[in-house]
């Protein structure tokens, strides 16, 4: 009887450990994206997660260790979402982009502002920009590839700007376009940009 219950106890312990880790990572995210990371202490992060400082250190070793794990978790989530749809589908690419900015737009703006921040955050900002460039290649590479090099470089740059988080912010907040209006605006702009390659 005791032996039979041991796997259940191990599973329950593992689930509890995972919940604790997720709570600490969530606390790190909250402080990070509210621009309070430098002021946050190990004690305050632990309290926010409902655990002790010793528990935080047991799981992550240090404040920097928690930060790196939180950033890594977010990066995986973003990568899986951004690169999920098939390439060579303009409508699908725009829909994917708007889904991403709906969930991550404000955080993406903060990440962009970290270019001149602490080394770890500046590195993340650089990686995020590169991931966006890679996504443009993934989504529109079929139309860019056949172009002459100079034309290809210009259109790639235009696509990067058109699909940038700051463009989304301008359309959604400054101009107050609806989701459908943003979808139509971006799709129209991308199709016009690539029209010579769509034939």
């Amino acid at each position: 009887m005791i032996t039979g219950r041991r796997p259940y106890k191990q599973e329950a312990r593992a689930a509890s450990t995972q919940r604790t880790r997720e709570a600490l990572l969530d606390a790190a995210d909250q402080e990070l994206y509210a621009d309070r990371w430098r002021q946050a202490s190990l004690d305050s992060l632990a309290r926010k997660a409902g655990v002790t400082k010793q528990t935080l250190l047991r799981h992550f070793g240090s404040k920097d260790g928690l930060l790196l794990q939180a950033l890594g978790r977010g990066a995986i989530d973003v990568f899986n979402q951004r690169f999920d749809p098939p390439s060579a589908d303009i409508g699908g690419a725009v829909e994917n982009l708007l889904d991403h900015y709906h969930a991550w737009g404000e955080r993406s703006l903060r990440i962009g502002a970290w270019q001149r921040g602490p080394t770890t955050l500046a590195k993340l900002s650089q990686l995020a920009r590169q991931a966006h460039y890679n996504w443009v290649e993934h989504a529109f590479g079929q139309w860019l590839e056949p172009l002459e090099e100079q034309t290809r470089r210009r259109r790639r740059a235009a696509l990067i700007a058109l699909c940038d988080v700051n463009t989304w912010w301008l359309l959604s907040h400054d101009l107050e376009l609806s989701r459908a209006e943003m979808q139509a605006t971006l799709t129209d702009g991308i199709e016009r940009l690539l029209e010579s390659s769509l034939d």
Side-chain angles (χ1 to χ4, degrees), residues 13-189:
R13 188 179 300 114
S16 176
T17 297
Q18 186 60 32
R19 284 195 298 271
T20 297
R21 287 181 62 85
E22 292 297 323
L24 285 163
L25 292 169
D26 288 344
D29 278 346
Q30 291 172 23
E31 297 303 284
L32 184 63
Y33 293 111
D35 286 336
R36 296 191 299 260
W37 182 254
R38 291 184 180 182
Q39 294 76 31
S41 66
L42 289 170
D43 285 323
S44 67
L45 288 163
R47 280 197 305 272
K48 186 174 283 290
V51 299
T52 65
K53 173 182 172 179
Q54 288 70 29
T55 299
L56 186 159
L57 291 172
R58 186 169 65 251
H59 281 277
F60 298 102
S62 66
K63 184 180 174 184
D64 284 347
L66 174 60
L67 173 63
L68 289 173
Q69 290 290 322
L71 294 175
R73 182 182 67 164
I76 290 170
D77 289 345
V78 168
F79 180 87
N80 289 339
Q81 190 267 329
R82 287 293 296 272
F83 288 85
D84 179 57
S87 58
D89 175 5
I90 292 175
V94 172
E95 187 171 358
N96 172 264
L97 189 73
L98 293 178
D99 285 344
H100 169 69
Y101 287 146
H102 177 75
W104 275 84
E106 294 192 20
R107 283 177 285 180
S108 295
L109 288 167
R110 292 194 182 278
I111 291 171
W114 292 343
Q115 294 179 44
R116 296 176 179 81
T119 302
T120 300
L121 298 184
K123 181 65 174 177
L124 175 69
S125 183
Q126 179 184 352
L127 291 173
R129 292 197 306 276
Q130 187 59 54
H132 178 62
Y133 303 161
N134 292 344
W135 178 84
V136 167
E137 295 279 358
H138 169 75
F140 309 114
Q142 174 176 308
W143 295 288
L144 293 172
E145 189 62 36
L147 300 174
E148 181 270 330
E149 177 60 28
Q150 187 175 8
T151 302
R152 181 182 185 278
R153 187 170 64 251
R154 287 200 310 268
R155 292 194 184 173
R156 176 179 177 272
L159 287 165
I160 287 171
L162 190 58
C163 297
D164 187 73
V165 64
N166 290 286
T167 303
W168 164 78
W169 182 267
L170 176 67
L171 295 175
S172 62
H173 290 72
D174 288 11
L175 300 179
E176 299 182 338
L177 298 189
S178 68
R179 166 73 182 242
E181 290 172 323
M182 286 191 290
Q183 176 99 20
T185 299
L186 290 174
T187 300
D188 182 59

